[in-house]
């Protein structure tokens, strides 16, 4: 099949490389070396001639991807079998006929094109073989067979095993293209592969054929281009190149000393190449890893595949710059979330949430562009994670990504930013808790009357009511008052007493702190279980069996243990590790996940530890004055009072 006849829908027939080359050949302004494709039908025909291959591939698919020795041995066996199969006469005649159309004695590149290759999530770059400067029909046929066999190289087999791709489902086509006798060749990444910056393209270039770069024979020149301008370049000493031999094959040649440190490309050539890359990127709709050659007629493209190592970014349907901050990092849960968990956040969050790679992000570009909001946002981000603040400031210092926009009016506080100060009155918190409990009780009562589609309509209305309550100024004022008090205490107590994060310690014993209450309550559960050796021994063998609660009453002390765990689950069973993803199983659904923590408490703490730890947090003595944080003793008399705050 001629390459110009191939399109992107024929992946199963021609493989990933040929499919991309066929598409490239039809993009305006993109030159692709002429050639043809030996399709996967030919591969299947050849494979069917050897009855032992089915068993070999079955054994290959069952290998452990970490068992390198077994992979090495069996993959070599399969390659020998495939390479030893004679090309059928009819197929050989078709290949020879295609060669006659393109020039029977011309030089060609013979290139593998597997069906699981150059995919958006698995590139297989360099996993199968390519042969350069192959001359003559007999040599072409031999190298087609070698390409078929390379489908089972050790690297390709391991890669498929790690990506869950069955060897028996992968087929191999072979591309035969006119050889490009390149003066310069290399690789173009339309996004910076190191930083992930989609606006910066990177060009690697060296003299001669691209094999010198691919094999690591030389260090390439590296150019970085942004907005049509070379912004950085590194010119290497290129001592060697790979060139084509007159009768076929390649060889290494030494570069003349004066030329070794000359740039392989001019800036104008680099910019022109990146323009071609942007055209290819726009056609495929994602950043590309492009192999190119430069000969006397200009640039020719010999391969393009998606860059699979870039972390995805949220899709934006505009040309503005966007700066995304990870929600998961702020919530200390960086695992990917399932679609239901993502949509729940997007439905309930107060700020727009953007998804990429199974994670959620908030776009802070417009907030940073506003002088009125910038300082507050940076301060808030810095308190949560200083590294995030540093990253945002680094982007701002560049001066070319986030513009400074005039404040046309009040934009409101940044997400989570500080509202107006609140009156110092503990009754406000009690009132808010009472409101929340009443809201939960009403929700439990009303949701019981709905089912089917009506339940979903009810939930949508409940979500909007939840957002309305959460957005009430008093709620946000109380939340921020607690956060700001903690920050203030940590800063001051560090200066006054040398105590690092002292307020964080104090809050462990603050009434109503649900997080610390959960931990202390689990210590109480351990107190109930510790006196009963049979129960402790039984729990050590639970191993993820969530039915263990039903078995506990059969043991001495087991009924009390079950009641203690059930009481804990009644109070906290809706929580779990990584709970911001609503699809994560809750403790009530998977109570066995609590068992390791309970057993740790049994081993590591004495009875009554919860009460002692709570009391210790409330009356912890500072290392310097040896006085407590309650206003007692020297503090009451003023003899050990810390400096008064100035504001």
């Amino acid at each position: 099949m001629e390459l110009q006849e191939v399109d992107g829908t024929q992946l199963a027939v021609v493989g990933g490389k040929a499919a991309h080359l066929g598409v490239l050949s039809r993009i305006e302004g993109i030159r692709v070396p002429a050639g043809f494709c030996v399709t996967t039908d030919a591969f299947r025909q050849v494979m069917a001639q050897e009855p032992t291959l089915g068993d070999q591939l079955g054994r290959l698919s069952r290998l452990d991807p970490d068992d390198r020795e077994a992979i090495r041995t069996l993959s070599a066996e399969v390659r020998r079998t495939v390479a030893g199969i004679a090309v059928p006469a009819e197929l050989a005649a078709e290949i020879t006929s295609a060669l006659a159309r393109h020039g029977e004695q011309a030089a060609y590149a013979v290139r593998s094109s597997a069906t699981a290759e150059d995919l958006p999530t698995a590139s297989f770059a360099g996993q199968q073989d390519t042969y350069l400067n192959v001359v003559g029909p007999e040599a072409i046929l031999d190298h087609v067979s070698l390409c078929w066999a390379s489908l089972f190289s050790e690297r390709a087999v391991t890669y498929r095993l790690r990506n869950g791709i069955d060897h028996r489902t992968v087929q191999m086509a072979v591309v035969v293209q006119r050889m490009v006798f390149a003066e310069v060749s290399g690789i173009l990444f339309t996004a910076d592969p190191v930083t992930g910056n989609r606006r910066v393209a990177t060009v690697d270039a060296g003299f001669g054929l691209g094999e010198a770069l691919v094999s690591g024979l030389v260090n390439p020149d590296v150019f970085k281009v942004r907005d049509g301008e070379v912004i950085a370049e590194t010119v290497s000493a290129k001592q060697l190149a790979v060139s084509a031999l007159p009768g076929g094959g390649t060889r290494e040649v030494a570069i003349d000393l004066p030329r070794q440190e000359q740039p392989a490309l001019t800036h104008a050539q680099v910019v022109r190449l990146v323009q071609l890359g942007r055209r290819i990127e726009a056609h495929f709709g994602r950043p590309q890893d492009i192999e190119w050659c430069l000969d006397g007629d200009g640039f020719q493209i010999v391969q393009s595949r998606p860059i699979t190592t870039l972390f995805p970014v949220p899709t934006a349907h505009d040309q503005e710059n966007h700066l995304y901050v990870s929600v998961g990092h702020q919530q200390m849960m960086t695992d990917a979330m399932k679609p239901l968990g993502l949509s729940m956040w997007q439905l309930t969050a107060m700020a727009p949430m953007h998804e990429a790679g199974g994670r959620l992000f908030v776009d802070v570009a417009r907030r940073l562009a506003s002088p009125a909001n910038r300082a507050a946002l940076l301060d808030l981000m810095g308190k949560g994670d200083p590294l995030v603040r540093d990253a945002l400031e680094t982007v701002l210092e560049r001066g070319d990504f986030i513009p400074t926009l005039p404040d046309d009016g009040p934009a409101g506080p940044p997400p989570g930013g500080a509202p107006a100060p609140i009156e110092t009155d503990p009754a406000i918190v009690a009132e808010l808790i009472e409101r929340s409990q009443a809201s939960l009780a009403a929700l439990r009562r009303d949701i019981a009357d709905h089912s089917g589609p009506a339940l979903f309509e009810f939930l949508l209305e409940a979500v909007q009511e939840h957002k309305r309550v959460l957005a009430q100024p008093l709620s946000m004022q109380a939340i921020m008052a607690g956060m700001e008090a903690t920050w203030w205490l940590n800063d001051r107590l560090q200066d006054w007493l040398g105590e690092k994060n002292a307020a964080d310690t104090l809050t462990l014993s603050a009434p109503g702190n649900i997080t610390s209450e959960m931990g202390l309550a689990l210590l109480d559960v351990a107190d109930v279980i510790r006196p009963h050796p049979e129960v402790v021994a039984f729990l050590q063998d639970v191993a993820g069996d969530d039915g263990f609660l039903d078995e506990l009453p059969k043991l001495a002390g087991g009924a009390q243990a079950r009641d203690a765990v059930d009481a804990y689950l009644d109070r906290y069973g809706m929580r779990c590790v990584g709970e911001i993803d609503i699809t994560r199983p809750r403790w009530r659904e998977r109570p066995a996940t609590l068992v390791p923590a309970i057993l740790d408490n049994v081993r590591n703490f004495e009875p009554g530890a919860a009460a002692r730890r709570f009391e210790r947090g409330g009356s912890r003595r500072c290392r310097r004055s040896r006085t407590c944080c309650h206003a007692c003793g020297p503090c009451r008399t003023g003899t050990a009072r810390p400096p008064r705050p100035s504001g």
Side-chain angles (χ1 to χ4, degrees), residues 116-128 159 163 289 303 305-309:
E117 183 174 350
D118 294 350
L119 304 178
T121 57
S123 75
F124 280 83
Q127 303 295 314
Q128 285 89 216
Y159 194 84
N163 284 275
D289 168 354
Q303 190 162 340
R305 61 172 70 90
I307 303 177
T308 57
T309 56

Side-chain angles (χ1 to χ4, degrees), residues 162-232:
R162 294 194 186 283
N163 284 275
I165 300 172
D166 192 329
H167 309 294
R168 293 165 292 192
T169 65
V170 182
Q171 309 293 323
M172 176 69 85
V174 180
V175 177
V176 182
Q177 285 179 283
R178 287 293 294 263
M179 184 70 188
V180 179
F181 297 102
E183 302 162 9
V184 182
S185 56
I187 301 169
L188 160 64
F189 300 96
T190 61
D192 191 318
V194 177
T195 66
N197 191 327
R198 269 68 168 177
R199 290 183 59 186
V200 174
T202 300
V203 175
D204 293 356
F207 296 123
L209 303 180
E211 179 64 23
L213 268 63
V214 173
S215 65
L217 185 64
V218 298
N219 292 323
D221 296 342
V222 180
F223 304 87
K224 293 186 181 295
V225 178
R226 183 172 62 225
D227 299 332
E229 180 182 352
V230 176
I231 59 171

Side-chain angles (χ1 to χ4, degrees), residues 6 19 23 84 98 181 270 292 347 435 570 630 641-642:
V6 174
V23 173
F181 297 102
V270 170
W292 54 270
L347 187 66
R435 284 189 201 174
D570 288 343
H630 292 168
R641 186 173 300 157

Side-chain angles (χ1 to χ4, degrees), residues 38-47 49 78-79 82-83 85-88 91-92 95 110-113 128-129 131 141-153 171-174:
V38 182
T39 67
T40 56
D41 289 337
F43 176 76
R44 282 190 291 270
Q45 179 184 349
V46 168
M47 295 286 281
Q49 293 183 205
V78 175
R79 287 199 305 277
V82 175
I85 302 173
V87 178
L91 175 58
I95 294 174
V110 183
R111 315 174 66 196
S112 304
S113 181
Q128 285 89 216
D129 289 347
Y131 300 94
L141 291 173
D142 289 342
H143 285 84
V144 168
S145 291
L146 291 173
C147 283
W148 287 332
S150 75
L151 184 63
F152 305 103
S153 70
Q171 309 293 323
M172 176 69 85
V174 180

